[in-house]
Amino acid sequence: MSNQETEKSFSRRNFLKMSGVATGSLVTGTYLGSLLKDDTSTDIQQTEVQDQEAEQPAGSEQENFTQAFKYFQHTDEFKTIEAAAERIFPEDDNGPGATSLGVAWFIDHELAGGYGSNAREYMKGPFKQGTDYQGPQYALLRRDIFAEGIRVMNEEAVSRHDVSFFDLESDQMDEILTELQDNELDMMGIKSNDFFEELRLATLSGAYADPLYGGNKSMEAWEMKKFPGAYMSYHDEIETEGFVEKDPQPLSSHISH
């Protein structure tokens, strides 16, 4: 195995180990997708899942994309999050990374809905330093936190290397992401390590959530874990000895047409 392959494998193993989130809660959408039923959320219809290749108007910000942005206003914002997510969850011999899995699309859709607007959270303050159990307490909405994170990542990239974050070499991206994780970069209204944790958890959620939410394209992340997906029952397999391998099944298979 080459040094590059070893580095990628090490990165993925440590990312999953350090995430502190069980895959089972992510594939069912309990972290981010649970907010989709909120009245203020953007509806994700089954037709959007099936129609992933709607052509964008010529000359638009998305003319080189096959999907429509729900939150991001510029392609550079999308590409910054996509590049960061890929470094957190890189492609390796085990399977595809965040880019191929469509993680950035998942994050875009979530930021446009209740997750991005903190729709089900008390947001009137007072905002004090939370305990470890409570987690971060900020007046900022998540969509604003991500906007600030994108700004900082790109400003650091331009300052150090005179290019946007997504045009950096992999080790240069890692340098900035590590400094975010270690709370060594200044961000307005939030600690940089809290933004990094939010980005990392959103990345993992996008990789493993049901494809209905925009990520986990073709259920390839489930394939890596041998996770069967959204079966309604395991009645026929529950008494079976040994490992039972089943083809992944998405939530959309249960939606009436």
Side-chain angles (χ1 to χ4, degrees), residues 29 31-38 41 110 114-116 120 142:
Y31 171 60
L32 306 184
S34 62
L35 298 178
L36 289 175
K37 291 184 179 179
D38 191 276
S41 301
E110 293 294 328
Y115 167 76
R120 293 190 175 182
R142 286 193 187 88

Side-chain angles (χ1 to χ4, degrees), residues 105 115 136 198:
W105 290 110
Y115 167 76
E198 195 71 38

Side-chain angles (χ1 to χ4, degrees), residues 1-235:
M1 179 180 289
S2 68
N3 290 336
Q4 184 178 16
E5 290 173 335
T6 301
E7 179 185 354
K8 286 183 177 180
S9 297
F10 177 81
S11 297
R12 173 168 283 175
R13 286 198 302 273
N14 277 269
F15 166 61
L16 295 175
K17 179 181 178 181
M18 295 171 62
S19 67
V21 181
T23 302
S25 67
L26 298 172
V27 298
T28 56
T30 54
Y31 171 60
L32 306 184
S34 62
L35 298 178
L36 289 175
K37 291 184 179 179
D38 191 276
D39 292 339
T40 62
S41 301
T42 301
D43 292 335
I44 297 181
Q45 302 295 338
Q46 174 63 13
T47 53
E48 293 177 352
V49 178
Q50 295 173 337
D51 186 11
Q52 297 289 316
E53 299 182 353
E55 183 178 355
Q56 300 301 313
S60 72
E61 277 288 339
Q62 301 179 75
E63 60 184 343
N64 294 321
F65 291 87
T66 58
Q67 290 177 260
F69 295 151
K70 292 180 178 292
Y71 166 74
F72 293 117
Q73 300 296 312
H74 305 285
T75 56
D76 284 1
E77 296 173 344
F78 178 88
K79 290 192 288 185
T80 297
I81 289 297
E82 185 175 56
E86 179 67 21
R87 292 310 301 155
I88 293 172
F89 196 90
E91 179 179 356
D92 62 14
D93 291 340
N94 295 315
T99 299
S100 296
L101 290 171
V103 166
W105 290 110
F106 169 87
I107 294 175
D108 169 72
H109 292 179
E110 293 294 328
L111 290 176
Y115 167 76
S117 62
N118 299 53
R120 293 190 175 182
E121 299 175 32
Y122 181 82
M123 296 295 294
K124 295 184 178 180
F127 299 97
K128 299 180 179 180
Q129 180 64 41
T131 65
D132 291 340
Y133 176 77
Q134 293 172 316
Q137 308 287 305
Y138 292 111
L140 289 176
L141 300 179
R142 286 193 187 88
R143 59 183 56 164
D144 297 327
I145 290 174
F146 272 80
E148 173 65 4
I150 291 170
R151 181 190 69 80
V152 169
M153 285 190 286
N154 279 307
E155 282 192 357
E156 290 296 324
V158 171
S159 174
R160 302 178 193 192
H161 307 288
D162 202 31
V163 295
S164 298
F165 180 84
F166 50 83
D167 285 328
L168 294 174
E169 298 296 329
S170 296
D171 60 337
Q172 295 170 338
M173 292 185 195
D174 290 347
E175 179 183 10
I176 293 175
L177 290 172
T178 299
E179 290 179 16
L180 283 171
Q181 183 182 29
D182 293 340
N183 199 31
E184 295 176 358
L185 298 180
D186 292 330
M187 294 182 63
M188 293 190 296
I190 185 173
K191 296 178 180 179
S192 70
N193 60 322
D194 286 335
F195 162 68
F196 180 82
E197 287 303 314
E198 195 71 38
L199 173 61
R200 183 169 67 173
L201 188 51
T203 297
L204 186 56
S205 298
Y208 288 114
D210 190 276
L212 182 67
Y213 303 117
N216 191 12
K217 186 176 181 181
S218 300
M219 300 178 288
E220 291 184 84
W222 290 355
E223 288 280 4
M224 285 191 285
K225 288 283 189 180
K226 300 301 179 185
F227 181 79
Y231 282 85
M232 296 295 100
S233 171
Y234 298 98
H235 179 271

